[in-house]
């Protein structure tokens, strides 16, 4: 406990330095600004802004990216409530009750509930991350290569099971992502793989061109093709203050949401959207206002919003302790860390205490900032909502182009982004999800390394994966998850939940 | 027969990508399970992917799987398939004549041909499952534009790469080939956005190092604005947007981030 406090104090020392706090603020501001722009979710926002952070020191860069992430997430809730337009999957449930509240003239109250609920959940989850991080790191250090491989495999399986649409297609995309990750120089023999003699490919396909092409540019093309998806703001915000009655109903929902979200966020492949869904289901079943659902029940905003923010924090746990991204946003964080020259994993606590504890402390700082910048400045965000898409897309395009070029000062990356944009567009037409591909792409090289090491140690015996207890357990969970999806009832349940 | 048409194409797509990967992987030593060579992991991964792709196709035919959008396959007429095959052969031959005497790398040649066939076949069907308005089955114009874009792009790249000077430097010839291809693609309304938006980024890549930051931005923004009909009616808005973005990009990237890039033509 004492050690935890010392560490947290150290973290706050890092996070509250003038440079870090100003970049956290800047990140949250930009993240919110871009997150409220219709049609741009957190993944697109982060990949768009990733190049801006390259010039910063590693700790500051990650703190800023985390700020962007929270901001974008919160911005997504704002559009969900005011426009009935979820910026991303995790705010889909917020549209259900939030937009109804807005139609009833309680948009301000819904926004305030979302902000306060998120702040409370974020604070609790931050403490949780700080407490469990070092413990899990200890566990992770006892992992052998075989255990690591199984853990990553489990992460990939769960990520694809929870993806939207068909599980088989999602696994197919994960696998292709792993394959894309293998392009470049083979670490052990130095042989060039799949590079076609192009020197730029010998370091592997760039992470940013893939993310930006598939999430940024392809999204623009798809948005332009469906003009009806963009809508206009008609509702008024109204008073931000909650009535006593609303406050009484929202409080327990926030508490439950925090609990559900913190737990579901830790799961590999879980994260904010699963947490929001879970909390919404729970509120509809057990909250006092359950009979009001469908007419603008405040519980339906408070619970899911608290849950998705708690999950957004706790999904950092697998990343910080094991180096494994649990969703597409965390895959972007891994990409950012690697570009900064830091290999995420259990050694990060020892090797980069500033980064580890600074990031945790800045989670709380970032949440506080969100509260501060969101409620008083709500008028400004509402004004941003009114920016028409015809002015937005040229701006996004230009920012993407400059950003991707400035990675290596090479136009090659610009053309790669174009190719991945076309690829992303095709995938989207074929309902092949891009998010699993990104996770596979990040994990691919690590998996190969661990697999090779594990097989070398076991002298070529594949049995090692079931002989080691940790590895066997992890693989067992993965198998159960896959089998569960093969059962028609469960699959239908998932489809139904996703459809809602 | 009732099949989920989109899933068939998605499965084919995965299988084709895996097949290309497996062919390319023939260059790499597999090694043994104990001492894995550079080809071992790709080999496993692509085999798994091909299997999954086949599974996707299989499921789409059965009673199980997503039964949401069941679309009758249409537009698979012989003429189109044959013309795509011919185009692929032409591309392959072009490649062979170019490298034929020097290094007849059959694997690469084969891959490129397979890739061209794959792209053609997939692109042929990729739109037909869509049922909403503009996304109906391929029109004649879209099909012609697709083939023409491929041919024009490859030809542009092929002839311009030897032109010397600017055109032979770095990736400029590739960029011009892509730009020409995407612009041709943008002619029919159905491909308009895909073609124009991709062409914008090519313009940026082509302009940036030669003409400088500001002209590259102006070119990209103006071309991007062509994609939205509103902008064509209101040129003042485009002007304002361009000015605003120039100032914003100057502030963010040049003043604050100080990226290394030519600002003016060289």
């Amino acid at each position: 406990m004492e050690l935890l406090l010392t560490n947290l104090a150290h973290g706050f020392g890092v996070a509250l330095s003038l440079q870090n706090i100003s970049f956290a603020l800047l990140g949250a501001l930009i993240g919110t600004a871009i997150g409220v722009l219709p049609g741009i979710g957190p993944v697109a926002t982060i990949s768009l802004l990733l190049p801006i952070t390259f010039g910063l020191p590693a700790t500051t860069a990650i703190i800023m990216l985390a700020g962007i992430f929270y901001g974008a997430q919160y911005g997504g809730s704002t559009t969900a409530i005011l426009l009935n337009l979820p910026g991303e999957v995790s705010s889909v449930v917020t549209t259900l009750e939030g937009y109804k509240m807005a139609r009833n003239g309680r948009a301000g109250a819904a926004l305030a509930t979302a902000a306060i609920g998120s702040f409370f959940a974020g604070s609790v989850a931050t403490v949780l991350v700080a407490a469990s991080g070092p413990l899990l790191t200890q566990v992770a250090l006892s992992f052998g290569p075989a255990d690591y491989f199984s853990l990553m495999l489990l992460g990939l399986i769960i990520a694809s099971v929870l993806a939207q649409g068909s599980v088989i297609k999602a696994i197919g995309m994960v696998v292709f992502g792993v394959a894309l990750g293998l392009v470049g120089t083979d670490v052990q023999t130095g042989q060039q793989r799949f590079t076609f003699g192009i020197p730029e490919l010998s370091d592997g396909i760039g992470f940013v061109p893939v993310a930006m092409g598939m999430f940024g540019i392809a999204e623009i093309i798809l948005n332009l093709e469906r003009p009806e998806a963009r809508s206009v703001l008609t509702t008024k915000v109204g008073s931000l203050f909650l009535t006593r009655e609303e406050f009484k109903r929202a409080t327990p929902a926030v508490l439950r949401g925090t609990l559900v979200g913190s737990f579901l966020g830790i799961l590999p492949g879980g994260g904010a959207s699963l947490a929001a869904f879970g909390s919404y289901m729970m509120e509809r079943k057990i909250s006092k206002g359950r009979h009001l659902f469908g007419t603008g029940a405040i519980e339906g905003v408070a619970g899911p919003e608290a849950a998705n923010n708690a999950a957004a924090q706790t999904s950092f746990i697998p990343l910080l302790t094991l180096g494994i991204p649990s969703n597409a946003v965390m895959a972007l964080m891994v990409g950012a860390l690697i570009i900064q020259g830091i290999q995420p994993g259990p050694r990060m606590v020892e090797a980069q205490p500033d980064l580890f504890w600074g990031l945790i402390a800045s989670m709380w700082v970032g949440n506080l900032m969100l509260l501060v910048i969101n409620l008083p400045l709500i008028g400004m965000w509402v004004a941003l909502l009114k920016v028409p898409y015809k002015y937005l897309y040229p701006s996004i395009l230009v920012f993407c182009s400059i950003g991707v070029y400035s990675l290596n000062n090479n136009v090659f990356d610009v053309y790669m982004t174009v190719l991945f944009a076309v690829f992303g567009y095709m995938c989207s037409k074929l309902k092949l999800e891009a998010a699993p591909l990104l996770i596979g792409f990040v994990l691919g090289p690590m998996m190969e390394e661990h697999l090779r090491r594990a097989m070398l140690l076991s002298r070529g015996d594949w049995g090692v994966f079931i002989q080691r207890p940790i590895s066997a357990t992890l693989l067992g969970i993965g198998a159960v998850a896959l089998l569960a999806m093969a059962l028609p009832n469960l699959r239908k349940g998932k489809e139904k939940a996703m459809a809602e | 027969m009732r099949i989920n048409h989109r899933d068939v194409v998605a499965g084919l797509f995965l299988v084709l990508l895996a097949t290309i990967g497996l062919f390319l992987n023939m260059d790499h030593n597999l090694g043994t399970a104990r001492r894995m060579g550079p080809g071992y992991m790709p080999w496993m991964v692509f085999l798994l992917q091909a299997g999954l792709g086949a599974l996707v196709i299989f499921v789409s035919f059965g009673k199980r799987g997503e039964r949401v959008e069941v679309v009758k396959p249409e537009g698979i007429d012989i003429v189109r398939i044959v013309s795509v095959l011919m185009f692929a052969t032409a591309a392959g031959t072009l490649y062979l004549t170019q490298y034929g005497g020097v290094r007849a790398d059959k694997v690469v040649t084969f891959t490129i041909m397979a890739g061209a066939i794959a792209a053609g076949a997939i692109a042929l069907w990729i739109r037909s499952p869509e049922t909403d308005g503009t996304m109906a089955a391929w029109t004649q114009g879209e099909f012609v534009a697709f083939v023409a874009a491929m041919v024009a792009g490859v030809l542009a790249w092929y002839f311009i790469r030897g032109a010397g000077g600017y055109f032979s430097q770095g990736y400029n010839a590739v960029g011009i080939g892509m730009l020409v291809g995407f612009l041709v693609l943008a002619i029919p309304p159905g491909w308009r956005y895909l073609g124009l938006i991709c062409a914008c980024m090519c313009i940026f890549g082509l302009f940036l190092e030669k003409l400088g930051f500001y002209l590259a931005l102006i070119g990209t923004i103006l071309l991007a604005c062509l994609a939205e009909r509103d902008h064509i009616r209101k040129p003042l808005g485009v002007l304002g947007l361009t000015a605003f973005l120039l100032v914003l990009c100057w502030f963010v990237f040049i003043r604050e981030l100080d990226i290394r890039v030519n600002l003016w033509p060289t």
Side-chain angles (χ1 to χ4, degrees), chain B residues 2-25:
Chain B
R2 285 158 61 83
I3 55 170
N4 188 333
H5 191 193
R6 175 186 279 151
D7 275 5
V8 175
V9 183
L12 273 178
F13 188 48
L14 289 174
V15 171
L16 277 164
L17 287 174
T19 316
I20 295 169
L22 282 172
F23 264 102
L24 288 175
N25 198 38

Side-chain angles (χ1 to χ4, degrees), chain A residues 397 415 418, chain B residues 175 178-184 186 193-206 219-220 223-224:
Chain A
L397 203 63
Y415 298 130
V418 176
Chain B
M178 284 169 71
L179 175 66
V180 170
F182 282 124
L183 284 180
V184 173
Y193 299 118
L194 179 66
L196 277 180
I197 296 298
C198 290
C200 290
M201 289 198 75
C202 296
I203 285 275
F204 182 84
L206 286 170
T220 311
L223 190 60

Side-chain angles (χ1 to χ4, degrees), chain A residues 74-136:
Chain A
Y74 189 78
S77 317
T78 309
T79 51
I81 291 171
L82 292 178
L83 286 186
N84 200 19
L85 258 191
E88 39 138 2
V89 192
S90 73
S91 43
V92 168
V93 279
T94 309
T95 61
L96 298 176
E97 299 304 317
Y99 185 61
K100 293 267 165 52
M101 281 183 74
R103 295 265 296 271
N104 297 344
R106 297 299 293 155
L111 289 168
T113 312
I116 299 166
S118 296
F119 173 69
F120 174 78
S123 310
V124 173
T126 303
V127 176
L128 196 68
V129 175
S132 63
L135 288 178
L136 266 174

Side-chain angles (χ1 to χ4, degrees), chain A residues 35-73:
Chain A
V36 295
L37 297 175
I40 312 173
V43 184
T45 310
I46 296 176
S47 50
L48 198 70
L49 297 174
L50 203 53
I52 297 184
T53 64
F54 289 161
L56 303 171
T59 309
T60 313
I62 296 298
I63 287 178
M64 182 176 174
L65 280 173
I68 293 172
F69 171 42
Y70 309 140
Q73 181 117 5

Side-chain angles (χ1 to χ4, degrees), chain A residues 102-311:
Chain A
R103 295 265 296 271
N104 297 344
R106 297 299 293 155
L111 289 168
T113 312
I116 299 166
S118 296
F119 173 69
F120 174 78
S123 310
V124 173
T126 303
V127 176
L128 196 68
V129 175
S132 63
L135 288 178
L136 266 174
T137 308
Q138 288 305 312
V139 177
L141 283 175
S142 66
F143 274 33
D147 306 323
Y148 259 109
F149 180 80
S150 305
L151 184 66
M152 293 182 189
L153 203 61
L154 175 66
L156 289 182
I157 290 174
I158 297 190
S160 19
V161 165
L162 294 177
Q164 284 175 294
S166 150
V167 177
I168 312 174
K169 279 157 99 178
I171 303 179
M173 286 301 269
V174 162
V175 171
F176 187 60
V178 172
L180 282 180
L182 297 178
V183 172
T185 313
D186 174 37
V187 189
Q188 294 188 3
T189 60
Q191 193 176 352
Q192 301 282 309
R193 292 189 291 186
F194 312 107
T195 58
F196 303 99
I198 299 170
E200 280 84 355
L201 282 180
S202 64
D203 288 337
I205 296 176
F207 176 77
V208 179
V210 176
M212 234 183 226
M214 294 191 73
F215 287 96
I217 309 291
E219 274 302 312
I220 296 182
I221 303 169
L222 292 164
N223 280 337
L224 283 172
E225 281 187 357
R226 350 165 252 252
E228 72 275 14
R230 311 169 226 153
S231 82
V232 216
L233 180 74
T234 48
T235 44
K236 282 227 158 52
V237 174
S239 161
L240 286 175
F241 290 100
L242 279 76
T243 61
R244 182 184 290 262
E245 159 75 9
E246 281 170 334
F247 190 78
K248 241 189 204 161
R249 282 166 51 196
T251 311
V254 166
L255 290 175
R256 285 189 293 260
T258 307
L259 204 70
V260 173
S262 304
F263 173 70
L264 291 179
I266 305 176
L267 291 185
S273 45
L274 183 68
F277 275 113
S279 163
Y280 178 76
M281 296 294 185
M282 190 162 153
E283 293 306 319
R284 207 169 57 174
K285 286 259 155 56
I286 66 168
S287 70
K288 277 207 183 108
R290 58 179 177 270
H291 56 283
L292 292 172
F293 269 67
T295 60
I298 197 164
E299 290 92 343
V301 177
E305 279 299 313
N308 81 30
N309 204 45

Side-chain angles (χ1 to χ4, degrees), chain A residues 378-394:
Chain A
I378 187 70
M380 194 173 106
W381 308 129
V382 172
L384 265 178
L385 276 177
K386 292 177 184 156
V387 178
Y389 197 70
K390 63 177 182 183
Y391 294 127
L392 279 182
Y393 77 85

